Amino acid sequence: METDSRHTMGDRMLRKEDGRFIRGKGNYVDDVRLPSMLHSAILRSPFAHARINNIDTSAALELEGVHAVITGEDLAAQGLAWMPTLAGDTQAVLATDKVRFQGQEVAFVVADDKYVAQDALELIDVDYEPLEVIVDSRKALEEGAPIIRDDKEGKEDNRIFSWDAGDKEATQRAFERAEVTVSQDMFYPRCHPAPMETCGAVADYDVSTGKMTLHMTSQAPHAHRTLFAMVSGLPEHQIRIISPDIGGGFGNKVPIYPGYVCAAVASLILGQPVKWMESRSDNLMSTSFARDYHMTGEIAATSDGEILGVRSTILADHGAFDAHAQPGEQYPTGFFPIFTSCYDVPAAYAAATGVYSNKAPGGIAYRCSFRVTEAIYLMERTMDVLADELEMDPVELRRKNFVKKEQMPYVSVMGWEYDGGDYDAGLDEALRIAGYEELLEEQKKAREEGRIMGIGFSTFTEIVGAGPGKKCHIAGIEMFDSAELRLHPTGKAILKLGVKSQGQGHETTFAQIVAGELGIPAENVEVREGDTDNTPFGLGTYASRSTPVCGAATAIVSRKVREKGKKIAAHMLEASAEDMEWTGERFQVKGSPDRGATMEEVSFAAYTNVPDGEEAGLEGVTYYDPPEMTYPFGAYICVVEIDRGTGQVEVKRFIAVDDCGVRINPMIVEGQMHGGLASGIGTALMEVIEFDEEGNHLNSSFMDYLMLTSMEAPSYELGEIVTPSTHHPLGARGVAESPTVGSPPAVVNAVVDALSPYGVRHLDMPLTPARVWAALRENGVDA
Amino acid sequence: MQVPARFDYEVAASVEEAIRLLERHGPEARLLAGGHSLIPMMKLRLAFPETLIDIHELDGELRYIREEDGALEIGALARHQDVLDSEVVRERYPILWDAETMIADPLVRNMGTVGGSLAHGDPAEDLPAAFMALGCEVVARGPGGERTIPIDELQTGPFETVLDPAEIIVGARILRAPQGSAYTKVKRRTGDYASAAIGVALNISDGEIRDAGIGMCAVGGQTLRARGAEEILEGQRPNMELYKRAGERAAEESEPSEDARGPVEYKRDLVKVLVVRALEKAVERAGGGA
Ligand SMILES: Cc1cc2nc3c(=O)[nH]c(=O)nc-3n(C[C@H](O)[C@H](O)[C@H](O)COP(=O)(O)OP(=O)(O)OC[C@H]3O[C@@H](n4cnc5c(N)ncnc54)[C@H](O)[C@@H]3O)c2cc1C
């Protein structure tokens, strides 16, 4: 192990946290074992929609080792049968009246071990009366459709919301005067974040102190604590949420799930710690899914490809309870209004309808900033349909419509203010890496040989880093974030954050930020997160907000500490503070390079030799509310070859050029890119959650829910350009979601390009061998 | 974590003891070999054996791959990885090598056994189809002694075999190496079971195909043999037209059902395509002939 290395901002530093992960020394919720801890299991509904006539728990209670069986009625007695969702709806914790999706929580068993708990489930007798089921959102608003949410007073249909944004008339006019218009229906299928670690909690209620400690798989421990306090009535300071190591979140660990609440209630009732840990099937069946958007994309353009207007229509399926993630009620489609993306679009309009269905609740931001994935897919797919209509090179079409560098900071017609960017430069770099001219030659040759090869593009901007607090909130709490930094006498630092890593490498990246600001090695900065008793209040990690918001807070708190350090340095060097300058490594008396002090020396002085009128110590705290979001962007190229006999799609190459502004740790950025590309390519090719007509979940294990493996992934070709964010103190933007957002359309565009000589203009994801085979045969291509 | 229901657990120290334990614990007992078919089913609570009889300590008796008098003998506890690593297999039975490269992933291949693959009776299991093309014998031992079961007669339906409850497979025997053989498979992703897979083994003499064997995986309620297609090939000079006819015949002989991997027509079409590809490769390996 390197001991004397000094890493700082911008270095490809190995991840500090990996030492423990590689050795199997991580500490996840399931590793938490407390004295006299009990275990649990959840009885789930086998029906997608059914009335509950009766629940008989007596046989389960008689099983040796069972401590409690909690039902919805027990919770109702405490006013806890229903809980609020992040979208302002309500969700059943344990079903009382009806079950509304297969896998819904019906009863909670607490037992000596998880085996007994699981056995007890089979002894619970529930009398269900099956009801008509809605799985296809397009039927949810039909006359006579069963009303799913009859728990809501006066609810007479399955509509959740109707929403629109943009200028409808101006867009209509653009379509009327356009020489060319295209329209494409598409479906972004339901998929699942599927983190490696499922959700779980250990609830530990201390009867003597009244304190509830929850070890929980939470991406947002502080926000969750506040919500817990509001729902349970327990005083907030008596609730402590500890998010230990988290094995992937991807948005799945943003909502509060019934299991957490049940574990807490059980611990309150029994006065013993209770662990609840989902199985894989539990996770895939009941926790928040993503996407499930039926969309229509329309573009109006001139005959030479200048976009005049864009229109999109959405039918959003939110499942049985509206538990989708949104940064405030004004965003029922999240940041979908970013759909005009990197293009200079003069008129745009979007309209959406949200509906209930008998499927798991959610609609969360799976590795994307609130529905950006859907928006970019719609735009990039429709762009290719337009290129096809115009018989224009998709590259040329995109380039023609890019927002130009000179237009930055650009305000889009939908009202977003982009923080810089150079879309042409990104595309140029991607084309250079790909060798576009040669690729086109290769494709021509392949076609002559009867091989089916396609090249797909996706150029886009993301929108990440919510706040600003005035625009974005969770349950009213504005989306700022926080950092607290303390330097100890020997110059070693502890940094505490309001966010929470789930694998993103915060312990390294944030240490590097402090290192860069204070001239101390990142090795000497310990990063702490995820314990509400011991970290400043923050909104958590999702939607690529950690670096844009908390990274900024970290830079600013470091600068605050440096300001105080400057006074101490001046005192040490017997100079005035105004005469001190920071070289990037140490303080120095202006004009006297031999008179200086490092941050280590200043730290020692902060506890041993402070000037009169200064407090001892060297620490600070910052709550940072960003002025705007950040807009990382990318240019992606995907090359595929299709087996005409079997329909299998092979991704031969994937080129991804990203601009996330200044890179704090380029290696970590690239790691995030690799992971995100695997997610996105997987979504395009294989990941899907489907239901049969009765609402049976068809993908409840990893044998059925297919995710990309390294064997299907090409060797990624990454590139970068750097245009610093105009407002972020480090010039950085978020990154880890760009690849998930940008890659699905690149893959689909490549497959459609491959099949376009045969007349294919669109195919819905996932592009499974069977689906591609059908497209081949329907269009007269034989083996 | 998914947790299985209660079961009792025994460890056998010899094949004889395994048989005695099977007899003692009755029809609800199951042998545990690599566990990579059985344990997932237990965790999903699709299988509820009352007793598991672990045979992992029988490596000394049952883990081997060897040639005896020109026959290839594979012990029941040979792991998938052992088959993949075997030089004899690679050189003389490339169909098995092909199949093994496409079975699951290294983790599964390190644990899963040849005996388990045969005994499980899963029509989506690859080795039975490859063995069927090769025409192997399965050797089983029970309270009444040892018997030989032709591979074509092993399965009786989905997850059903002719094995008696107290019988244990000790190995598989292939009497003669084919001159050419190959295995082709379509799966949705690494680690997925086949959408369809085809194994072909054949000899070529005087430029004509002899002894063609075609095994079909995942396109019926059990592993199938494409006898009609085999007949079409017999005595013919290899050529593409012939392969296509054989493929079409095999597709007719297949009995796929629709599932998440695709509709019936798709799977039949795959059979056609895969038979052609496997034949091309097997003939090439047999030294051409065309
Ligand atoms: C993720 C995953 C992917 C897979 N993909 C594939 C694939 O693509 N293709 C494929 O072919 N297989 C696949 N498999 C199955 C794998 O190859 C199994 O390991 C193998 O099929 C069964 O062998 P086993 O030793 O694990 O059997 P076990 O699970 O131990 O046993 C299976 C059954 O056979 C019985 N049994 C075992 N040994 C004997 C014996 N000697 N005599 C009598 N009965 C016996 C057991 O009692 C049990 O009923 C996959 C498995 C997993 C987990």
Side-chain angles (χ1 to χ4, degrees):
Chain A
M1 206 173 120
E2 300 172 74
T3 45
D4 57 0
S5 52
R6 293 172 64 92
H7 284 101
T8 188
M9 177 81 186
D11 287 346
R12 305 178 75 88
M13 181 185 182
L14 293 181
R15 303 200 327 168
K16 294 172 73 175
E17 45 269 77
D18 284 346
R20 72 175 185 279
F21 291 146
I22 290 167
R23 289 178 177 85
K25 297 287 186 194
N27 180 44
Y28 299 89
V29 167
D30 207 17
D31 294 317
V32 174
R33 289 185 181 85
L34 302 177
S36 72
M37 183 176 81
L38 300 171
H39 298 261
S40 68
I42 291 179
L43 180 72
R44 296 180 180 278
S45 165
F47 295 103
H49 199 191
R51 192 158 301 291
I52 296 178
N53 289 330
N54 187 42
I55 304 178
D56 182 355
T57 60
S58 52
L61 277 165
E62 274 166 30
L63 186 69
E64 195 180 320
V66 170
H67 290 248
V69 181
I70 299 170
T71 64
E73 267 183 41
D74 301 326
L75 293 181
Q78 307 187 35
L80 286 175
W82 293 81
M83 63 179 183
T85 69
L86 295 178
D89 194 6
T90 50
Q91 173 173 358
V93 178
L94 293 173
T96 46
D97 52 341
K98 285 203 305 192
V99 286
R100 292 172 170 84
F101 68 95
Q102 188 187 49
Q104 189 181 334
E105 299 79 1
V106 174
F108 189 80
V109 172
V110 187
D112 283 335
D113 63 48
K114 58 191 170 197
Y115 300 92
V116 174
Q118 197 74 32
D119 291 344
L121 296 186
E122 279 159 34
L123 299 174
I124 301 175
D125 190 13
V126 185
D127 178 4
Y128 292 106
E129 184 186 323
L131 301 167
E132 201 189 324
V133 166
I134 298 175
V135 286
D136 183 346
S137 55
R138 289 166 297 189
K139 296 184 178 156
L141 296 178
E142 276 176 5
E143 196 70 35
I147 309 301
I148 296 170
R149 296 302 302 278
D150 48 0
D151 57 294
K152 292 165 92 83
E153 240 189 79
K155 191 81 193 135
E156 279 168 7
D157 62 13
N158 294 310
R159 185 184 304 271
I160 302 173
F161 67 85
S162 296
W163 162 95
D164 68 348
D167 190 333
K168 189 175 182 179
E169 281 73 40
T171 308
Q172 179 59 30
R173 283 196 298 280
F175 274 82
E176 280 161 12
R177 71 164 210 276
E179 290 155 333
V180 180
T181 62
V182 289
S183 172
Q184 181 63 54
D185 292 338
M186 59 190 87
F187 179 49
Y188 206 127
R190 184 175 272 239
C191 52
H192 199 280
M196 193 64 88
E197 179 204 30
T198 57
C199 299
V202 175
D204 180 15
Y205 180 68
D206 187 328
V207 191
S208 62
T209 62
K211 181 138 187 166
M212 172 70 81
T213 304
L214 277 160
H215 306 261
M216 201 167 123
T217 50
S218 169
Q219 294 181 226
H222 297 277
H224 281 169
R225 181 186 54 171
T226 303
L227 293 174
F228 254 104
M230 294 187 326
V231 172
S232 69
L234 289 172
E236 193 168 5
H237 70 290
Q238 290 280 64
I239 303 173
R240 177 181 183 188
I241 293 187
I242 301 175
S243 268
D245 286 327
I246 296 187
F250 312 112
N252 190 236
K253 291 166 182 167
V254 172
I256 291 188
Y257 294 118
Y260 301 141
V261 179
C262 289
V265 170
S267 182
L268 265 168
I269 295 174
L270 297 166
Q272 272 171 272
V274 175
K275 178 184 278 186
W276 166 68
M277 202 70 220
E278 285 177 338
S279 68
R280 178 62 56 197
S281 301
D282 290 343
N283 183 258
L284 284 170
M285 287 180 78
S286 71
T287 61
S288 282
F289 73 93
R291 333 290 190 231
D292 210 339
Y293 258 33
H294 287 280
M295 305 187 280
T296 304
E298 295 173 90
I299 303 183
T302 63
S303 58
D304 60 354
E306 187 189 327
I307 298 177
L308 303 174
V310 181
R311 193 154 54 194
S312 56
T313 321
I314 305 162
L315 178 62
D317 185 338
H318 287 203
F321 308 102
D322 183 15
H324 99 126
Q326 60 187 20
E329 63 291 334
Q330 69 274 38
Y331 299 114
T333 60
F335 294 153
F336 189 91
I338 191 68
F339 66 97
T340 61
S341 186
C342 53
Y343 306 112
D344 190 8
V345 175
Y349 175 71
T353 304
V355 296
Y356 292 114
S357 69
N358 291 114
K359 301 192 285 195
I364 41 99
Y366 157 30
R367 206 166 184 160
C368 92
S369 184
F370 311 113
R371 306 286 190 182
V372 179
T373 320
E374 291 89 316
I376 297 306
Y377 180 72
L378 172 119
M379 192 64 201
E380 286 308 292
R381 198 69 273 293
T382 314
M383 283 298 271
D384 263 31
V385 171
L386 177 63
D388 190 57
E389 179 73 24
L390 295 168
E391 291 178 25
M392 197 169 165
D393 183 322
V395 174
E396 204 188 314
L397 177 66
R398 285 175 167 78
R399 200 188 283 289
K400 185 171 190 116
N401 289 288
F402 275 160
V403 172
K404 299 290 165 214
K405 182 172 77 183
E406 300 74 43
Q407 290 171 273
M408 293 291 176
Y410 172 84
V411 181
S412 83
V413 71
M414 298 301 291
W416 306 109
E417 188 177 332
Y418 297 2
D419 66 332
D422 185 346
Y423 304 135
D424 281 292
L427 181 56
D428 287 341
E429 179 63 0
L431 293 171
R432 186 193 65 75
I433 296 173
Y436 187 43
E437 294 307 318
E438 296 92 272
L439 258 185
L440 286 174
E441 274 305 306
E442 199 184 319
Q443 185 180 39
K444 202 166 136 224
K445 197 158 144 267
R447 283 182 175 161
E448 281 160 16
E449 290 166 6
R451 286 188 295 125
I452 307 180
M453 173 183 163
I455 307 167
F457 291 88
S458 164
T459 53
F460 61 94
T461 181
E462 255 265 56
I463 168 172
V464 305
K470 289 288 164 280
K471 283 190 190 166
C472 305
H473 66 86
I474 287 187
I477 305 166
E478 295 189 354
M479 294 178 79
F480 54 80
D481 229 291
S482 60
E484 193 182 304
L485 177 65
R486 182 189 309 142
L487 268 73
H488 297 90
T490 59
K492 309 290 190 286
I494 290 184
L495 174 72
K496 299 176 175 182
L497 305 174
V499 291
K500 172 62 204 163
S501 180
Q502 307 121 41
Q504 292 91 337
H506 289 185
E507 287 168 48
T508 309
T509 312
F510 285 82
Q512 286 180 266
I513 296 176
V514 174
E517 295 295 329
L518 297 185
I520 61 174
E523 284 76 0
N524 290 352
V525 183
E526 167 149 329
V527 176
R528 300 234 173 111
E529 310 176 300
D531 178 347
T532 55
D533 270 9
N534 289 309
T535 54
F537 196 102
L539 274 286
T541 293
Y542 40 85
S544 285
R545 65 185 298 281
S546 294
T547 296
V549 190
C550 200
T554 300
I556 288 171
V557 77
S558 303
R559 290 170 194 176
K560 269 191 197 169
V561 164
R562 203 168 70 204
E563 264 319 292
K564 177 167 181 189
K566 189 176 178 178
K567 291 184 205 155
I568 298 171
H571 174 68
M572 289 166 69
L573 299 169
E574 296 175 346
S576 77
E578 296 81 65
D579 286 339
M580 301 302 300
E581 62 182 3
W582 174 252
T583 67
E585 278 161 16
R586 59 175 203 154
F587 295 106
Q588 198 168 280
V589 180
K590 280 181 198 156
S592 317
D594 54 323
R595 289 171 66 206
T598 63
M599 211 60 191
E600 278 92 349
E601 290 160 344
V602 168
S603 299
F604 195 71
Y607 296 88
T608 56
N609 177 24
V610 283
D612 287 345
E614 270 311 317
E615 287 178 15
L618 196 52
E619 63 179 85
V621 58
T622 289
Y623 281 69
Y624 182 79
D625 184 7
E628 240 307 326
M629 275 164 274
T630 69
Y631 297 76
F633 59 94
Y636 293 178
I637 304 176
C638 176
V639 181
V640 300
E641 188 159 335
I642 294 171
D643 184 327
R644 58 192 298 149
T646 65
Q648 284 166 300
V649 175
E650 188 189 347
V651 177
K652 303 285 256 192
R653 293 180 69 189
F654 203 102
I655 295 110
V657 173
D658 279 86
D659 187 337
C660 56
V662 173
R663 297 185 173 202
I664 297 159
N665 183 325
M667 181 199 73
I668 289 184
V669 170
E670 287 160 19
Q672 293 292 314
M673 293 299 306
H674 282 204
L677 290 172
S679 297
I681 298 172
T683 302
L685 296 182
M686 55 187 77
E687 289 189 34
V688 66
I689 289 198
E690 290 176 311
F691 299 82
D692 67 13
E693 279 177 11
E694 276 142 40
N696 292 307
H697 192 291
L698 302 178
N699 309 85
S700 61
S701 83
F702 278 161
M703 289 309 281
D704 306 308
Y705 188 76
L706 301 180
M707 298 206 290
L708 202 79
T709 78
S710 60
M711 302 303 286
E712 288 78 40
S715 185
Y716 302 117
E717 300 168 68
L718 304 185
E720 66 169 275
I721 56 167
V722 177
T723 51
S725 165
T726 49
H727 62 72
H728 188 278
L730 298 168
R733 303 190 178 92
V735 70
E737 301 173 332
S738 289
T740 329
V741 167
S743 57
V747 177
V748 177
N749 287 345
V751 171
V752 172
D753 177 57
L755 299 174
S756 63
Y758 310 105
V760 175
R761 203 180 236 198
H762 176 73
L763 281 181
D764 276 331
M765 300 185 284
L767 300 171
T768 59
R771 184 165 288 172
V772 173
W773 170 85
L776 287 167
R777 296 296 179 270
E778 278 162 20
N779 290 285
V781 187
D782 57 28
Chain B
M1 195 182 120
Q2 323 261 166
V3 295
R6 274 200 81 84
F7 58 88
D8 292 327
Y9 177 78
E10 302 262 17
V11 181
S14 68
V15 171
E16 291 316 313
E17 192 189 358
I19 295 168
R20 273 200 306 278
L21 287 166
L22 281 170
E23 276 190 290
R24 178 171 348 130
H25 291 281
E28 296 309 316
R30 287 283 174 281
L31 294 173
L32 178 70
H36 273 53
S37 288
L38 185 54
I39 291 177
M41 290 179 74
M42 290 168 64
K43 285 176 137 192
L44 291 169
R45 298 202 170 203
L46 297 170
F48 301 87
E50 283 171 11
T51 311
L52 288 186
I53 296 160
D54 193 337
I55 54 173
H56 81 273
E57 287 187 7
L58 308 188
D59 273 2
E61 275 181 89
L62 299 180
R63 186 175 186 178
Y64 54 83
I65 298 177
R66 60 186 176 224
E67 279 193 299
E68 288 274 335
D69 306 328
L72 179 70
E73 297 188 347
I74 305 181
L77 284 186
R79 311 293 191 269
H80 291 300
Q81 192 60 41
D82 298 340
V83 179
L84 202 51
D85 291 342
S86 156
E87 265 177 45
V88 183
V89 165
R90 178 108 200 218
E91 275 166 30
R92 290 164 54 80
Y93 301 86
I95 182 175
L96 294 178
W97 188 85
D98 286 350
E100 289 293 5
T101 60
M102 295 183 266
I103 291 176
D105 52 43
L107 285 80
V108 175
R109 291 199 293 261
N110 283 336
M111 295 294 289
T113 64
V114 171
S117 282
L118 288 168
H120 197 49
D122 181 348
E125 201 67 70
D126 290 291
L127 285 184
F131 281 136
M132 206 173 260
L134 290 166
C136 90
E137 297 175 339
V138 177
V139 184
R141 207 181 297 164
E146 202 163 279
R147 64 166 169 153
T148 301
I149 306 163
I151 182 77
D152 294 1
E153 291 166 23
L154 179 69
Q155 293 178 20
T156 53
F159 301 94
E160 278 170 23
T161 66
V162 295
L163 293 172
D164 291 331
E167 238 177 347
I168 169 170
I169 291 180
V170 290
R173 188 188 301 130
I174 302 156
L175 295 176
R176 208 158 69 91
Q179 288 174 356
S181 68
Y183 196 81
T184 51
K185 173 173 174 176
V186 169
K187 50 195 162 104
R188 295 172 297 177
R189 191 209 60 185
T190 304
D192 187 25
Y193 283 87
S195 302
I198 298 290
V200 164
L202 47 77
N203 293 317
I204 294 184
S205 71
D206 301 331
E208 290 170 2
I209 295 175
R210 301 281 172 206
D211 319 312
I214 302 180
M216 303 196 283
C217 162
V219 288
Q222 56 194 78
T223 310
L224 297 176
R225 182 158 186 161
R227 287 189 192 284
E230 292 171 0
E231 274 166 29
I232 287 177
L233 294 166
E234 194 61 32
Q236 302 295 314
R237 296 193 167 269
N239 65 73
M240 184 50 83
E241 205 39 52
L242 179 71
Y243 302 161
K244 284 191 176 158
R245 271 202 293 137
E248 262 160 44
R249 183 75 188 95
E252 284 163 25
E253 292 177 273
S254 70
E255 301 159 11
S257 46
E258 170 157 9
D259 60 16
R261 292 177 179 81
V264 170
E265 314 80 70
Y266 173 56
K267 295 184 179 181
R268 277 197 205 282
D269 203 44
L270 285 184
V271 171
K272 248 193 258 183
V273 170
L274 293 181
V275 165
V276 171
R277 290 183 185 177
L279 279 168
E280 276 185 295
K281 205 160 170 191
V283 168
E284 186 193 313
R285 282 172 173 165

